[in-house]
Structures are given as C-alpha cells and as structure tokens.
Amino acid sequence: MLHKTRGIIFRATDYGESSVIVQIFTEKFGLQSYIINSAKKPKAKIGRNMLQPLHLLDLVVYHKNTGSVQRISELKNAPVLLSIPYDVIKSCIAIFLNEVLYKAIKQQSPDENLFDFIFSAIEWLDHQTESVANFHLIFLTRLTRYLGFYPDRYMAGEADYFDIKNGQFTRYKPESISYLSPPHTDNFRLVLQTSFEDMHLLKLSNDERRYLVQKLLEYYAMHIEGFGNIKSADVLEEVLA
C-alpha cells in the first residue's frame, strides 16, 4: 500500500554505483530506511541533492511491517529550506543537531509529538533573522521532554546544583562527579525557562554556552545507551566563538 507522510532526513548513505539508502524520521512510521535507486544519476527523479540532513519532506511511500528497507514512490522537499543550507552558523547547528538526533532516536514506531517538535523547530530556525547562537541549547533541553528524561525542576528556584546523573536540581552538592554548580546552575535554569522566541534575550558568553552544551551532551550520554561522543560539537564551538 501507498501512504502519505511527512519526513525529516537523518542520514543518506551511498549504496552501489548509483543508489542511496536514506534514513528518514517519518510522522506516520517513525524512523525508517528507504532505498532510492539511481539517485546519483544526473536526471534522477529523486536526486542526491534532495537528501540533505534535516531537510523536510512530503513523501508517498510503500510500507511493510517487516523492519526491512522500504521504498519511496514520491518525494519532495516541503517546505524548502531557504537559509539553513546557506548560512554558516545555521548549517553548523543543523549538522550538530542532526548527529544528536541520529544517535538519540531509534524507534520504528510513530511519535507524532516528537516529530512535530523537530519539524517545527527546524522550520523556525530556517526563518529566524535574529541571533541563533542559543538555539541548540534550547533545542537540546526541550528534546529531553520527548525522549523521557526532562530535568526535574521542582527545586530549581532554590537549588545551587543540578545533579546530571539523577536529572534534578538540589540544594546540596551531589555525591556523583557529574553536576552543575554556581553560576552554571542558574544559567541552566534560565535555558530551561527560555523559549525559542526569546532565546536572543539569553545572555551567555561563548565559554558558558560551550560548557552547558558539554554538560548537556554528558546528560544525554547518561540516559541514552550507546550515545557516545558528538564529533560535530567541536566544529560548532569554533563557528560560534
């Protein structure tokens, strides 16, 4: 059967002389792998240039409940990204977030709330004209809500520390070596309270932003098996410095 669904490209890998296998997070089926034959040929119906990471899609797909590689009948970039591919800072943020998403999302089942969050966030980033230096911080904190380990903010207003291992604010220094202490705790609390729309008002130094990103990635690694290192984080830090 043919199905219509929206999608977000996570990764495209060359396969054979002319084909591509692309992993797409779909609204209707979760994360799926699709083979696209002849994608690397000059007159391909679905060309390799349409399959860039975090590009947004309208799809018509064949789907079998076997977990195998699926096939695509129709694909178009919709909406077409107007600034992310051409803006150095936005494109580096997209590459970084794409690596995080690729390692964090594995389910081959639909999660419409998670899908809507990612899809809308990418659209918002593409249209943003003010500073986006804090976008990835806001995105990472909000993404944890959908992945099941959003920080417990019960003690946030009175806490001096954030316990990374247990995901909670606390008045007392945690026994674990993984925690935030003042002034980083206050900055993290502000990040949690800030929306995408107000993120340009969040005043963080480059060093503080870098530190919080490192700690957030540490937080992800503690809650997602096999998460590992995010290689693109270093490139993003250089671009934002």
Side-chain angles (χ1 to χ4, degrees), residues 129-193:
T129 56
E130 297 190 69
S131 172
V132 295
N134 293 318
F135 179 86
H136 56 304
L137 273 174
I138 310 299
F139 185 96
L140 289 177
T141 54
R142 292 197 166 196
L143 181 61
T144 62
R145 187 185 296 277
Y146 301 93
L147 298 179
F149 51 93
Y150 187 72
D152 182 350
R153 295 169 56 185
Y154 178 70
M155 294 290 295
E158 307 168 32
D160 289 325
Y161 300 91
F162 177 72
D163 184 341
I164 292 175
K165 181 178 180 181
N166 294 305
Q168 60 186 10
F169 287 89
T170 176
R171 296 176 183 173
Y172 309 105
K173 185 177 179 179
E175 294 182 3
S176 166
I177 61 172
S178 297
Y179 61 86
L180 295 176
S181 58
H184 310 297
T185 309
D186 289 335
N187 288 329
F188 183 51
R189 178 168 46 243
L190 288 174
V191 169
L192 287 168
Q193 295 171 349

Side-chain angles (χ1 to χ4, degrees), residues 30-46:
L31 185 63
Q32 298 290 328
S33 294
Y34 297 93
I35 187 167
I36 303 175
N37 295 324
S38 303
K40 293 187 286 181
K41 291 186 176 180
K43 297 182 179 180
K45 179 182 177 183
I46 301 174

Side-chain angles (χ1 to χ4, degrees), residues 88-103:
V88 173
I89 292 177
K90 287 184 180 181
S91 62
C92 285
I93 288 173
I95 290 168
F96 168 76
L97 294 179
N98 176 248
E99 187 178 357
V100 170
L101 290 167
Y102 181 75
K103 292 190 172 187

Side-chain angles (χ1 to χ4, degrees), residues 28 203 205:
K28 200 166 186 176
K203 304 303 180 184
S205 68

Side-chain angles (χ1 to χ4, degrees), residues 38-129:
S38 303
K40 293 187 286 181
K41 291 186 176 180
K43 297 182 179 180
K45 179 182 177 183
I46 301 174
R48 189 68 167 80
N49 63 323
M50 301 170 70
L51 307 174
Q52 302 303 312
L54 292 194
H55 278 213
L56 308 177
L57 308 172
D58 272 342
L59 298 161
V60 178
V61 301
Y62 299 93
H63 185 78
K64 296 180 180 179
N65 295 318
T66 58
S68 60
V69 176
Q70 314 281 358
R71 290 190 176 272
I72 294 174
S73 175
E74 299 176 26
L75 179 152
K76 65 177 180 178
N77 296 124
V80 175
L81 298 182
L82 301 176
S83 68
I84 291 176
Y86 312 106
D87 182 295
V88 173
I89 292 177
K90 287 184 180 181
S91 62
C92 285
I93 288 173
I95 290 168
F96 168 76
L97 294 179
N98 176 248
E99 187 178 357
V100 170
L101 290 167
Y102 181 75
K103 292 190 172 187
I105 298 175
K106 305 295 183 184
Q107 68 262 35
Q108 292 182 319
S109 57
D111 187 332
E112 291 186 5
N113 291 329
L114 173 59
F115 180 90
D116 284 340
F117 165 71
I118 300 171
F119 198 98
S120 298
I122 296 168
E123 277 192 291
W124 192 91
L125 175 63
D126 192 53
H127 289 99
Q128 179 63 8
T129 56

